[in-house]
């Protein structure tokens, strides 16, 4: 019987939770399929899955640095509300900053005060431990094309 290892295409059903138990994502009933060892998922998650067999379940907890990153206080900035133009920013909403190079960086609005807006470029789950309750639903050999492309193909 095959196990999860490099150059296998692996399907997993998972529930992703914050440490306090809040569910933030789930692929139950619709497995996430990826090429193992190709950097499609968090490296520490791959480490935790390696060697599992089909049907096996496991809980894997990732430290913030291995998931969405540490919380960076420097990523909080205060900008004039006029940067938003006519739009009144909404606290808790996510927006995108557009840069000249064409990059789009998401940020969330934390506070509106005296014509200024406090914005936060941290990922919403930065600084959080992330727990995966997961089950391996499929394992197969990757095709030559998949290995060449570095990702799983979905049919
Ligand atoms: Zn491809």
């Amino acid at each position: 019987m095959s196990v999860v290892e490099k150059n296998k295409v692996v399907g997993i059903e998972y529930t992703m939770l914050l440490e306090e138990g809040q569910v933030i994502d789930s692929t139950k009933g619709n497995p996430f399929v990826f090429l193992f060892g190709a950097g499609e998922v968090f490296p520490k998650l791959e480490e935790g899955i390696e060697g599992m067999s089909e049907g096996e379940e496991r809980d894997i907890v990732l430290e913030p640095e291995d998931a969405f990153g540490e919380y960076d206080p420097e990523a909080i900035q205060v900008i004039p509300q006029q940067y938003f133009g006519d739009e009144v920013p909404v606290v808790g909403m996510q927006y995108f900053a557009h840069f000249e190079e064409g990059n789009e960086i998401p940020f969330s609005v934390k506070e509106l005060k005296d014509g200024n807006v406090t914005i936060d470029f941290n990922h919403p789950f930065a600084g959080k431990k992330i727990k995966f309750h997961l089950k391996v639903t499929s394992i197969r050999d990757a095709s030559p094309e998949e290995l060449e492309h570095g990702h799983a193909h979905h049919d």
Side-chain angles (χ1 to χ4, degrees), residues 85-139:
D86 293 334
E87 192 178 2
V88 178
V90 179
V91 172
M93 280 271 289
Q94 198 162 67
Y95 296 85
F96 288 89
H98 300 267
F99 293 94
E100 277 177 21
E101 315 85 70
N103 300 346
E104 285 193 340
I105 313 270
F107 64 88
S108 56
V109 168
K110 291 282 180 203
E111 192 186 35
L112 300 182
K113 200 177 170 193
D114 304 329
N116 288 317
V117 186
T118 305
I119 63 173
D120 185 352
F121 284 98
N122 283 293
H123 188 281
F125 304 132
K128 308 271 191 195
K129 277 192 191 182
I130 305 291
K131 178 174 158 182
F132 288 86
H133 179 71
L134 64 86
K135 180 181 185 178
V136 175
T137 55
S138 63
I139 303 172

Side-chain angles (χ1 to χ4, degrees), residues 145-146 148-153:
E145 291 79 22
E146 288 174 318
E148 195 184 313
H149 293 189
H151 55 232
H153 288 167

Side-chain angles (χ1 to χ4, degrees), residues 4 12 34 36 45-52 60 134 136:
V4 175
I12 53 172
F34 68 104
F36 188 84
L45 184 63
E46 285 198 327
E47 248 176 59
I49 297 171
E50 187 157 26
M52 287 178 74
I60 295 168
L134 64 86
V136 175

